[in-house]
Amino acid sequence: MTTTSPPRPGDRHLARMARGAEAIRPSEIPTLFAVRGRTDVVSLAGGMPNLDGLPQREIGEETAGLVSLGGKVVLQYGSAQGLPTLREQICEVMSLEGITADRDDVVVTVGSQMALDLVTRIFCDPGDLVLTEAPSYIGALGVFSSYRADVVQVPVDDQGLVPDELRAALQAAERAGRRPKFLYTVPNFHNPAGVTLTVERRAEVLGICAAHDVLVVEDNPYGMLALDGRTFPALRSLDAENVIYLGSFSKTIAPGLRIGWVTAPGTVREKLVQAAETTTLCPPAFTQAVLSRYLARHNWRAQIDVYRDSYRVRRDAVLDALAEHLPAGSRWTRPEGGFFVWVTVPDGVDTDALMPWAERHKIAYVPGSAFYAQGSGRGGRHLRLSFSYPTPERIAEGVRRLGLAIAEFRSHDHHNPRNG
Ligand code: PMP
């Protein structure tokens, strides 16, 4: 029996939508966050920052002060490129990773997600080639798909993107007469792989890209969240001409501010500002002013330390629990920062097929397949666990449930419990 869903208002307009609209697929992101209100489910799925340490009082005071003193300015339209003082402060943040930049090099965006969208928009025509890691950030794959770019994914290992694999992918593209528009990479505390590109490999990856004349898009929302407080040299600090850098305050202050940025070589930056203007006219003047005032008047470095401490105990909790509850034949990465652990389950367990068992044990994770471009069929033995949000106790309980789900899956000969 086939079931057809009832017609919905607007259905008749679907046929006239652009082909680009067809390529905008339902994102997994809302479903990842959907279970967060369910107290019976332990969600290690969505990667929400933990805001227990949020400097709420300070942000509240700055906001109130701004409205009463400068409301007529901060609630007015602002510059398309972003508030100049905030751009200067962003340069100060980037200097911690070795980047020398001027405020004119920076464009403020509505989260780094918007920066990723703008970069793809100005570089990619339908059918253009983009390289990224295998696995890769879901939100980036969604953007590439919406611009109908072709994605080739290059494997990572414990030291990040594998240079030889990158070389091979570029050579294969060259043989096919194609030059990728850019390499999109998350070098620090990768989402979802949890790995960090070693310093030696940074130079190598940049050298390979330069030799093949391929631009690099460096997405770095987690770089300040090393659990031991260190920072790695940004790719942009090593090659300012050939790297577009995306940054964000979502994980270091709060995602609800929706403030990210892109730092790019002059001509690219100009085009990005023009593109941004057609999307938003200007980024929100109000949240920029709140953030700028907060950064100017409070110890934001100490605030990041507070977040780091809270993530360290959570990372330890997830690693301890994995060692205790996952069966022999499982492997996982050992993140030294960020939010994610990438788990490989034993041969014979498929993480998409495992979902109903996980549901029964009330544990949510993201199956590996979500992090591969559509149709690649990879990711079957992998899953992503996010340790950023729940308490350490809930994380341990979640991993225990995951262990139970895997054991049950293996003992039931893959019979789907949803079918009775
Ligand atoms: N890039 C990566 C790798 C991410 O994990 C995220 C958020 N999960 C983003 C970009 C987008 O972050 P935002 O738009 O909040 O800055």
Side-chain angles (χ1 to χ4, degrees):
M1 195 183 77
T2 53
T3 51
T4 47
S5 43
R8 291 183 309 131
D11 272 0
R12 70 195 185 88
H13 301 301
L14 280 172
R16 67 180 119 228
M17 283 185 190
R19 273 189 294 165
E22 207 175 300
I24 302 172
R25 312 228 182 258
S27 153
E28 303 238 5
I29 294 171
T31 20
L32 297 186
F33 291 102
V35 288
R36 75 178 162 187
R38 287 186 51 185
T39 48
D40 57 332
V41 176
V42 179
S43 178
L44 303 177
M48 279 191 303
N50 192 307
L51 296 184
D52 285 352
L54 182 74
Q56 214 161 328
R57 189 177 47 82
E58 290 86 341
I59 291 179
E61 283 167 7
E62 297 307 349
T63 308
L66 268 174
V67 174
S68 58
L69 297 175
K72 293 214 171 71
V73 176
V74 297
L75 290 169
Q76 187 51 275
Y77 285 115
S79 143
Q81 193 170 345
L83 189 69
T85 17
L86 178 62
R87 285 189 271 123
E88 264 162 36
Q89 290 161 318
I90 285 171
C91 291
E92 206 184 309
V93 172
M94 290 193 297
S95 72
L96 299 177
E97 296 181 332
I99 295 176
T100 315
D102 182 85
R103 71 180 191 189
D104 289 346
D105 301 328
V106 177
V107 185
V108 178
T109 53
V110 180
S112 54
Q113 188 69 26
M114 177 182 164
L116 190 52
D117 187 89
L118 292 177
V119 167
T120 311
R121 182 170 147 204
I122 68 166
F123 283 107
C124 292
D125 287 310
D128 277 350
L129 185 60
V130 167
L131 297 186
T132 182
E133 286 114 349
S136 184
Y137 167 49
I138 296 180
L141 294 175
V143 171
F144 303 148
S145 152
S146 78
Y147 288 98
R148 294 190 287 149
D150 288 344
V151 175
V152 166
Q153 292 186 265
V154 182
V156 299
D157 63 16
D158 286 344
Q159 301 176 46
L161 189 70
V162 181
D164 284 344
E165 300 277 4
L166 177 61
R167 243 180 237 111
L170 284 164
Q171 283 158 3
E174 220 156 68
R175 280 195 300 276
R178 308 182 79 187
R179 178 182 299 164
K181 282 300 174 77
F182 54 77
L183 164 71
Y184 165 77
T185 177
V186 181
N188 298 320
F189 319 122
H190 190 268
N191 177 5
V195 296
T196 294
L197 189 65
T198 57
V199 174
E200 303 76 55
R201 280 194 184 178
R202 287 175 194 238
E204 201 176 349
V205 164
L206 287 169
I208 296 166
C209 287
H212 289 262
D213 194 19
V214 170
L215 183 64
V216 176
V217 177
E218 171 179 32
D219 186 12
N220 189 29
Y222 304 101
M224 301 298 292
L225 293 179
L227 299 178
D228 62 4
R230 84 187 129 148
T231 50
F232 293 88
L235 297 177
R236 177 151 177 114
S237 74
L238 307 172
D239 186 354
E241 176 59 24
N242 204 39
V243 178
I244 296 176
Y245 176 98
L246 314 186
S248 176
F249 286 101
S250 288
K251 279 80 189 186
T252 46
I253 309 286
L257 292 167
R258 302 309 298 130
I259 295 180
W261 71 90
V262 46
T263 306
T267 317
V268 176
R269 187 249 307 141
E270 272 166 29
K271 188 60 82 180
L272 288 169
V273 175
Q274 290 154 14
E277 209 165 354
T278 71
T279 307
T280 60
L281 297 184
C282 64
F286 189 59
T287 54
Q288 288 183 84
V290 170
L291 177 60
S292 176
R293 226 169 116 99
Y294 171 78
L295 294 173
R297 290 157 51 102
H298 299 275
N299 186 351
W300 54 270
R301 287 183 175 83
Q303 176 55 37
I304 296 176
D305 287 339
V306 170
Y307 282 142
R308 243 187 229 129
D309 289 345
S310 91
Y311 293 133
R312 189 181 311 103
V313 290
R314 288 170 168 79
R315 190 280 313 260
D316 291 346
V318 78
L319 292 183
D320 288 350
L322 285 164
E324 188 175 342
H325 298 296
L326 254 61
S330 312
R331 286 179 280 127
W332 50 88
T333 52
R334 303 190 63 82
E336 293 183 6
F339 290 5
F340 308 106
V341 184
W342 186 243
V343 177
T344 308
V345 293
D347 201 13
V349 181
D350 177 276
T351 56
D352 282 307
L354 179 67
M355 291 287 265
W357 274 266
E359 214 175 300
R360 195 153 80 153
H361 286 280
K362 298 189 165 51
I363 161 71
Y365 63 83
V366 187
S369 57
F371 305 97
Y372 292 85
Q374 283 214 331
S376 75
R378 295 196 275 181
R381 275 184 63 198
H382 305 288
L383 59 88
R384 187 191 78 177
L385 297 183
S386 166
F387 57 83
S388 54
Y389 191 74
T391 61
E393 296 71 31
R394 291 285 282 173
I395 291 170
E397 171 59 15
V399 175
R400 187 185 74 83
R401 292 181 191 185
L402 179 64
L404 289 177
I406 294 173
E408 210 173 280
F409 176 88
R410 296 171 104 187
S411 68
H412 280 69
D413 202 17
H414 312 176
H415 171 74
N416 187 337
R418 274 189 194 137
N419 301 335

